[in-house]
Amino acid sequence: MLQYRDLKNAIHDLGVKRSEPTLVHASAALIPQVKGGIQTMLGAILAGIDNMLMPSFTFKTMLIPEIGPEENLIEYGSGREENLNASIFTPDLPADFEDQAISEVFRHYPDVNRSNHPILSFLGLGLDGALQAQSTADPYGHIRYLLGKNAKVLLIGKDISALFSIHACEQESGRKQFLRWAMTEEGIKECPSFPGCSNGFHKVLFHLEGEVRQVTVQDQPWYSFSLDSLTRTTLQLLREDPYALLCNDLHCEKCNLIRKDIRQRRG
Ligand SMILES: [Zn+2]
């Protein structure tokens, strides 16, 4: 069983400084391994970090329209029945992604606020400026807001594919992303720059070399990155090789469509 002290020490060993704004991705799969569960996990995280962001994704707001752009991996018109069950995004809508158990407890902490992207919202403590910088039209605004501010990214029991910040680099580099739709209080909204596949993101580790801190907790690696160096390295990589960080699954529709888009743009 992991104790509060183990988690606190691991976060300390990852070089996270209390004053640095930190994007935290924490795995709900860890909960049964921690004495005291979610409260202990959040307690240890907040003991080491003053200002943090955490995902609070809500995929149940998504809709499939009757028509839309081509090359978007959606079968238009196929959602007539499921659309009826879509939820309207509000700041109080519970998250429904794999780590929702932790994110839902954090959401109810005092002074925690939420951005208003209907699918890819983040929770924030002490980072209202970042939360306001994300919008439906700009799902990566909060990441850009944190650039140049000594921000860290922390992966607690999550693998590299959880790095949402890399999707921000993909957008910045001009890589094809997708258009999705979500139900909001103002009706159905288009959500541009929706991220593609992240299964190839681990390839970035090789290029980061000395810029990653890693500790092993119960045989599992936990990581911390400087957001600035992660962003700089990823952007350079994507500039040098537009096919970088795509996954190796020959049947991955998203990555294959991105490859096709790159080939077309290169003529
Ligand atoms: Zn893929």
Side-chain angles (χ1 to χ4, degrees):
M1 246 355 212
L2 286 166
Q3 314 282 331
Y4 176 81
R5 194 182 54 249
D6 303 323
L7 304 183
K8 211 173 159 228
N9 290 344
I11 291 168
H12 177 265
D13 292 344
L14 284 169
V16 176
K17 294 201 188 82
R18 164 176 286 288
S19 59
E20 293 168 340
T22 306
L23 267 154
V24 177
H25 300 275
S27 172
L30 281 171
I31 298 168
Q33 301 171 41
V34 176
K35 192 179 178 218
I38 300 171
Q39 297 291 355
T40 302
M41 283 179 73
L42 277 174
I45 293 168
L46 290 167
I49 302 168
D50 284 339
N51 305 300
M52 72 173 212
L53 294 183
M54 186 182 267
S56 182
F57 300 157
T58 45
F59 297 106
K60 62 191 163 198
T61 61
M62 295 175 81
L63 293 161
I64 296 178
E66 292 296 305
I67 48 164
E70 285 177 29
E71 311 277 20
N72 194 31
L73 296 180
I74 280 191
E75 199 186 318
Y76 296 110
S78 69
R80 278 168 215 166
E81 278 180 38
E82 274 188 42
N83 287 350
L84 298 173
N85 297 321
S87 300
I88 298 171
F89 179 78
T90 68
D92 298 320
L93 183 68
D96 63 89
F97 69 122
E98 57 185 357
D99 300 316
Q100 57 142 16
I102 294 175
S103 135
E104 276 303 290
V105 174
F106 182 51
R107 187 163 69 80
H108 290 95
Y109 269 43
D111 303 321
V112 168
N113 290 315
R114 192 180 197 174
S115 61
N116 69 3
H117 193 288
I119 309 168
L120 303 170
S121 71
F122 275 69
L123 301 170
L125 179 65
L127 289 172
D128 287 355
L131 295 180
Q132 282 155 19
Q134 192 199 32
S135 66
T136 307
D138 187 6
Y140 310 109
H142 56 315
I143 308 290
R144 277 199 314 279
Y145 175 95
L146 290 175
L147 291 175
K149 294 186 170 75
N150 286 326
K152 286 256 166 66
V153 188
L154 201 53
L155 297 181
I156 299 180
K158 298 294 294 179
D159 69 37
I160 307 294
S161 66
L163 288 174
F164 189 79
S165 319
I166 293 184
H167 290 305
C169 299
E170 292 182 308
Q171 182 207 38
E172 179 76 26
S173 76
R175 173 171 282 180
K176 175 183 176 62
Q177 291 180 311
F178 299 89
L179 182 62
R180 292 293 177 265
W181 289 261
M183 192 79 124
T184 76
E185 291 175 297
E186 290 94 49
I188 298 168
K189 275 198 182 168
E190 287 191 350
C191 302
S193 308
F194 198 80
C197 168
S198 57
N199 292 336
F201 284 4
H202 59 274
K203 297 174 186 179
V204 81
L205 277 184
F206 172 75
H207 301 273
L208 282 163
E209 289 181 349
E211 299 172 87
V212 189
R213 300 259 307 238
Q214 187 177 332
V215 295
T216 304
V217 179
Q218 292 195 329
D219 298 329
Q220 212 179 11
W222 292 15
Y223 302 93
S224 80
F225 308 84
S226 136
L227 178 64
D228 288 342
S229 67
L230 174 65
T231 300
R232 191 173 50 241
T233 303
T234 306
L235 283 176
Q236 190 185 342
L237 189 57
L238 291 170
R239 248 192 314 272
E240 287 167 4
D241 174 10
Y243 298 97
L245 307 182
L246 296 174
C247 83
N248 289 356
D249 176 0
L250 295 177
H251 304 291
C252 176
E253 289 186 293
K254 287 178 182 166
C255 291
N256 284 339
L257 199 51
I258 290 166
R259 287 189 183 95
K260 184 179 162 192
D261 183 68
I262 296 167
R263 283 196 302 271
Q264 282 171 349
R265 288 198 211 187
R266 287 184 153 187

